[in-house]
Amino acid sequence: MIDKTRFIQDCEALRAQSPLVHNITNYVAMNIAANVLLAAGASPLMSFCPEEMDEIVKISSALVINIGCLDMQEIAGMRLAAAAALKYGKPWVLDPVGAGASTLRTETALELVREYHPTIIRGNASEIMCLAGLAIKSRGVDSSASTSDAVEAAKALAKETGAVVSVSGAVDYVTDGERLESVANGSPLMGRVTAMGCSASALTGAFAAVDSDAFSAALNTMVMMGVAGDIAAEGTAGTGTFQLRFLDALTTFDAAAASERIRQA
Amino acid sequence: MIDKTRFIQDCEALRAQSPLVHNITNYVAMNIAANVLLAAGASPLMSFCPEEMDEIVKISSALVINIGCLDMQEIAGMRLAAAAALKYGKPWVLDPVGAGASTLRTETALELVREYHPTIIRGNASEIMCLAGLAIKSRGVDSSASTSDAVEAAKALAKETGAVVSVSGAVDYVTDGERLESVANGSPLMGRVTAMGCSASALTGAFAAVDSDAFSAALNTMVMMGVAGDIAAEGTAGTGTFQLRFLDALTTFDAAAASERIRQA
Amino acid sequence: MIDKTRFIQDCEALRAQSPLVHNITNYVAMNIAANVLLAAGASPLMSFCPEEMDEIVKISSALVINIGCLDMQEIAGMRLAAAAALKYGKPWVLDPVGAGASTLRTETALELVREYHPTIIRGNASEIMCLAGLAIKSRGVDSSASTSDAVEAAKALAKETGAVVSVSGAVDYVTDGERLESVANGSPLMGRVTAMGCSASALTGAFAAVDSDAFSAALNTMVMMGVAGDIAAEGTAGTGTFQLRFLDALTTFDAAAASERIRQA
């Protein structure tokens, strides 16, 4: 059962506190992730420069690391940022984009998990199963597995790492190893718009900045994403219109009304 | 004459096979090119990291290299990716953005053509004339020549390199040195939206993944772009609305209906 | 008093001359800044590669440097570009994104001001106050101060550096140290869409390319941004629709009609 009251409180806290969320993310997602954060009420900052990582993490309320477009300098920035998040006690979210698709992606994601203990790991089924050590064959950056296949992997990964694990797909699952909740809201159009997963990770950072229970933060993020996706998909089959309406739905988000639309698997 | 049956088959194959298309492209185009690929039915992957080039090319069905925002590391990634495409027998598309505007762009494009033999070269008239060695003066990244000026250059470039050459403009021309076809669909608004050419290159990679005749793949791409542009431009004078409607037109693309709208010069 | 005739002349010159504007800008802003330039009538070029900086600046009509996503190579490119702008006598605009948020940003902005004398400095209140040496606490990349607080700082900065200073916010102020004008057009939605400030800086470069009076160029840019923002915000509360309508408003901009909508503080 999703706690509707807490969902509404989190949404309101997001608008009231407008947390500064620091993102090290890929070039495909930067613009839309920033716009998703702004529409939901948060304040985005994008930086990967090693020379300013410590200062930027220090003034931010949460950190999001997304390995979508890696290069060696960016990986160096990620390590410094994650270390700073630990030092300053900031929640941080890892999005292991394409883990399983290349050795570099898998090893970078695993290193960040092992060395810097993310608060929340948020990915698609393929990525989560890869990190959990299951033998799966990743196909690019889009998932080749369904989220229900990934539930046991997500639980195991959460228990092993201490992170909350959030798996997005047709049904989203969030677990801390003990608790498990699903969100069945959302539209198939979300899989045909790039960087929706990256945007979910960015927003997870914003919720983690205002809700100290990482499980609740990760879960309420997926509720907001899913209900906004439902609203955006109404009456359209096109991904252009969907994207526009998704941002509009976040800008004018009514958390109380949204809480009545929650569907679970 | 454009083969309508083959055009329809290619469009259907794109949706059925959803080929993974690996793009090394510029930061302006990354998001929109990914969304164009997704809307048309393909699966995009953006990566330029030298350390994973071989693995990523190996799992992809086609490679697209776009030199819009160069840096030395990215050029290194391009060389490795193009070499891997040759090694694994994957079709690859070169978009020589801004060739003629700087020595670095011209030389990088020429080196990639000479050393790594692209399957298809797709650019605007200025870029194609530059690569063909004609004395033209490029003005930034937008074309300062009309496509009809570039037809002979395109034919010569195709004969010299063995690549199919696709020139976009008010009228698009595609040639393999022997065959030559034109596509007159599309809207002047396409020249007032950034990265439409880059998106055409990305989509050319997707078609090349599902049609082993590179001439046909390059041509059918420009038909899809042009007809989607026609549909998107109907009833709007604004580039914001145009962009949204262009993605919608691709998402809901009806290849049979589109085949009846083809116009040639 | 804003000179309406000059505003209309500048807007017409922008469409007639379509100046090539070279941007070194951040990854969040690249796509939207390019689309804003195209919609307004200019021709954008984005490049930060040190190896081509001199050639690109030479063929461009204006340069815009935005420090939104720094790395050391990009800073090297910025220095070369700014030096080339001085050498070739091209107007150039500095957007000191996030000055005050990290030592690297503040020092990079100050170095560019001191060593390369920007024609126009365009930022939000926090950034301008930081450069003017006032003790303010920056909060990320969004302003934590109102523009009226920044008026004296802007005047002082203009006098000290010889640059025109353009401060954007609920009310925009433009000053050359002697002259001071305000623009009160625009919508609160502009603060909830990413890269609107970066787009204003890019457009300031375009106006500076067609109006040799940098004060007038900077001011008329903010009029165009503000009126287009007014038009875009009519009847919408969502940032998705706002962005689309903002580009549409620029594409179909009627300068004479806009000049009747100017509001000042």
Side-chain angles (χ1 to χ4, degrees), chain C residues 131-157:
Chain C
L131 293 195
L134 299 193
I136 59 118
K137 197 161 168 287
S138 187
R139 180 180 172 284
V141 294
D142 298 320
S143 185
S144 55
S146 79
T147 46
S148 58
D149 296 340
V151 166
E152 292 312 313
K155 277 189 184 170
L157 184 62

Side-chain angles (χ1 to χ4, degrees), chain A residues 27-28 68-72 101-105 139-142 191-194 237-241 243-244, chain B residues 15 17-18 20 27 30-31 34-35 38-39 43-49 51-52 55 59 73 244 247-248 251-252:
Chain A
Y27 306 112
V28 179
C69 288
L70 289 175
D71 68 39
M72 288 326 195
S102 79
T103 308
L104 179 70
R105 285 165 193 261
R139 180 180 173 283
V141 294
D142 297 321
R192 297 192 63 191
V193 171
T194 197
T239 55
T241 299
Q243 285 183 83
L244 172 145
Chain B
R15 291 217 184 283
Q17 297 174 33
S18 191
L20 183 63
Y27 306 112
M30 278 200 184
N31 183 276
N35 275 322
L38 283 165
S43 180
L45 190 154
M46 268 66 184
S47 169
F48 49 79
C49 194
E51 285 76 5
E52 66 175 6
E55 281 177 283
I59 62 170
Q73 177 190 266
L244 172 146
L247 287 177
D248 283 0
T251 321
T252 60

